[in-house]
Amino acid sequence: MMTGDGADPTRTPTESIDPPSWFRERAAVSDPGIYETFDREWPDCWARAADLLDWETEYETAFRGGDAPPFEWFPGGELNASVNCLDRHLPERKNQRALVWEGQLDERRSYTYLELSREVNALAAGLRDLGIDEGDVVTLYLPMVPELPATMLACARLGAVHNVVFAGFSADALAERMERADSEFLLTCDGYYRRGDAIAQKNKADNARLAVDRDVDVVVLDHLGEGVHLGEGYHDYGALVKDHEGEEVDPVPRAASDPLFRIYTSGTTGEPRGVTHTTGGYLAHVAWTAQSVLDIRPEDTHWCAADIGWITGHSYVVYGPLALGATTVLSAGTADHPERDRLWKLIDRHAVDVFYTAPTAIRAFMKWGAEHPERHDLSSLRLLGTVGEPIDQRAWHWYREHIGGGDCPVVDTWWQTETGAILVSTLPGVDAMKPGSAGKPLPGIETEVVGPTGDPVATGERGELVVTRPWPGMPVALAEGTGWGEHAVSERHGWRYHPEDAATVDDDGYVTFLGRADEAVNVAGRRFSTMELESAIVGVPGVAEAAVVGADHETTGTAIYAYVAPEHGVDEADLRERVRGAVEDAVGAVAVPEAIVFTPDLPKTRSGKIMRRLLEDVANRESLGDTSALRNPEIVGELQSRTPDED
Ligand code: WTA
């Protein structure tokens, strides 16, 4: 973007849509005064989140801390996360489904709260027998199976710290995360199905175990039911649960600031960053946002389509919905297998109330066409959410129209692995939605959009978002002031956390995210955000997805290469012209891509993020590094052959 040029037309929200009255009237949070109340009562306002939980020992005060770390949330308080997600719901809803699982081969399983609680207790007893104790780090390397949340909760019951590693990661990635976390216990399975193919999981776990520099006990779930060979140091999940059937394990009370879990983030570049979340602050923040933003209530069926291997799955597949006593949907496999209407079929089948997914998925649905959702009854839906990247206005409208029946509120929720839970979003029962903009910081959350000097930028100008007050879901490193905080405390500005996201803010305080602050291309001395260009391009009818990268260029330093996945049947020559025109209109002729490369698909990581680093290498005709993290490695050759040689 051009510095100082003010608002970017592709990103500035142009509409404001009030939440429908039928929603507002029933919303969990509908009092517009909530912002003011939280502000006036900060930090005590956060008791409202903590009081959604059951505490073994009541906390003394909501927050203890000064202007700089250490910060402590709910000091003196003790609780157990598995009690909050299971035991306390039993008196009222033991026969209600806690989770519904849909396998990739059309298998189905569900657990009532009573059944899940029994599984978790038996498993906790078994894990305790293996020597797992309070504070131990237990690595979970499982795909989307019900035993994954069960194991997370069993660890929580024992006060052990789970360390979920995404099932699609390699043996090396697993070993590295076990080493870094000092983990001596591993839970995995034989294999699982993805797009109809059986994937061997245990082999990878075996290799990781060999690579780890210590004795590791491994528990293996026989998910495929074909029998598993167990060598020394290996234990059978099924036998473990069976041997302890009916046993109850006393939940270990944990201090509010004790770790609940560790998760590693980033992965496309650099070293994995270990993020540790707390038992009390995290759970309170997650439960509160699941209620106030996602509007989840106990009688709801909630479907967050993220994999539990990522933070979104931790917070809004497992802990948020279960803390509130709702039914959570767990779906294995992919959205387009066996058919492209799989998700809509499941929403119909389970009468899902709240659906939460990522913009990249929505753009894929757009590409596949509205006829797929149209075949199903989606009228059970009350609220839609998105997370993970900026959503362009076209995708936002498509989502609301074709999935939400034109009437469901859509919340665009901004947060990160490091924040633990949502920090910026509209409150759907209170605020107007502005498609393309995430919304205001939530009540009790304070952010600023600042320029290079650290001072706030003018309305509509690009800057970087900083969080200027602590929040309950903050990770241990930030609360203790031991990590990612070199630049967090300054004399002039006080404490702040830098998420490294570029943003603008408008007159109503709505924040529009522009992508990672570090994703910029410099063309002829002018800086453009790849995300901004992408948003102009995906706004063109006929474009399904686009990714913009910088390629080295003799004269301009960098040239812009746009990789564009068109919708089916679109005339490419015509589309090329319209893409050029759209960029010219939105940003200026100087930003018109040097090359517009059409491709059937973009390279994606397994979590669905576009792998820009790889596109950059392709654009630069460099040798490609490791492509094993790709979900669709077959696209690489296609991209290389279509990329023009630099003239
Ligand atoms: C991006 C996922 C725009 C952002 C929960 C952030 C978003 C990174 C949004 C974190 C949103 C997440 N609008 N950008 N609504 N939500 N992001 O750690 O760049 O996997 O820093 O956490 O995703 O990704 P992470």
Side-chain angles (χ1 to χ4, degrees), residues 131 138 173 204 281 300 383 417 476 481 548:
V138 181
K204 290 194 288 177
D300 277 351
L383 177 78
T417 305
V476 171
V548 169

Short mmCIF file of all heavy atoms in Angstrom, two decimals, residues 131 138 173 204 281 300 383 417 476 481 548:
data_model
loop_
_atom_site.label_atom_id
_atom_site.label_comp_id
_atom_site.label_asym_id
_atom_site.label_seq_id
_atom_site.Cartn_x
_atom_site.Cartn_y
_atom_site.Cartn_z
N GLY A 131 1.85 -43.68 34.62
CA GLY A 131 2.79 -42.78 35.29
C GLY A 131 2.60 -41.33 34.95
O GLY A 131 3.43 -40.48 35.30
N VAL A 138 1.98 -34.32 27.69
CA VAL A 138 1.53 -35.49 26.93
C VAL A 138 1.25 -35.06 25.50
O VAL A 138 0.41 -34.18 25.26
CB VAL A 138 0.25 -36.08 27.56
CG1 VAL A 138 -0.20 -37.31 26.79
CG2 VAL A 138 0.48 -36.41 29.04
N ALA A 173 8.59 -33.26 12.33
CA ALA A 173 7.89 -32.15 12.99
C ALA A 173 7.37 -32.60 14.35
O ALA A 173 7.44 -31.86 15.34
CB ALA A 173 6.73 -31.66 12.12
N LYS A 204 4.64 -42.94 11.35
CA LYS A 204 5.25 -41.64 11.60
C LYS A 204 5.57 -41.49 13.08
O LYS A 204 6.64 -40.99 13.46
CB LYS A 204 4.30 -40.52 11.14
CG LYS A 204 4.14 -40.43 9.64
CD LYS A 204 3.47 -39.12 9.20
CE LYS A 204 2.00 -39.07 9.55
NZ LYS A 204 1.36 -37.80 9.21
N GLY A 281 -7.51 -18.53 33.06
CA GLY A 281 -7.67 -17.38 32.18
C GLY A 281 -8.13 -17.81 30.79
O GLY A 281 -9.07 -17.25 30.23
N ASP A 300 -27.60 -25.91 21.90
CA ASP A 300 -27.13 -25.77 20.53
C ASP A 300 -26.24 -26.91 20.06
O ASP A 300 -25.52 -27.52 20.84
CB ASP A 300 -26.27 -24.49 20.39
CG ASP A 300 -27.13 -23.26 20.17
OD1 ASP A 300 -28.34 -23.40 19.97
OD2 ASP A 300 -26.56 -22.15 20.23
N LEU A 383 -26.24 -18.56 13.26
CA LEU A 383 -25.10 -17.65 13.24
C LEU A 383 -23.97 -18.30 12.44
O LEU A 383 -23.74 -19.50 12.54
CB LEU A 383 -24.61 -17.39 14.67
CG LEU A 383 -23.37 -16.50 14.79
CD1 LEU A 383 -23.72 -15.04 14.59
CD2 LEU A 383 -22.69 -16.66 16.14
N THR A 417 -3.18 -17.91 17.72
CA THR A 417 -2.75 -18.94 18.67
C THR A 417 -2.33 -18.27 19.98
O THR A 417 -2.67 -18.73 21.07
CB THR A 417 -1.54 -19.71 18.09
OG1 THR A 417 -1.91 -20.20 16.80
CG2 THR A 417 -1.15 -20.87 18.98
N VAL A 476 1.15 -17.90 28.87
CA VAL A 476 2.05 -17.80 30.02
C VAL A 476 3.23 -16.86 29.73
O VAL A 476 3.58 -16.02 30.56
CB VAL A 476 2.55 -19.21 30.42
CG1 VAL A 476 3.66 -19.12 31.45
CG2 VAL A 476 1.39 -20.05 30.94
N GLY A 481 5.95 -12.27 31.16
CA GLY A 481 6.90 -11.33 30.57
C GLY A 481 8.19 -12.00 30.16
O GLY A 481 9.25 -11.39 30.16
N VAL A 548 -0.92 -13.30 -4.23
CA VAL A 548 0.02 -12.37 -4.85
C VAL A 548 1.36 -12.51 -4.17
O VAL A 548 1.43 -12.54 -2.94
CB VAL A 548 -0.51 -10.93 -4.70
CG1 VAL A 548 0.55 -9.92 -5.09
CG2 VAL A 548 -1.76 -10.74 -5.56
#
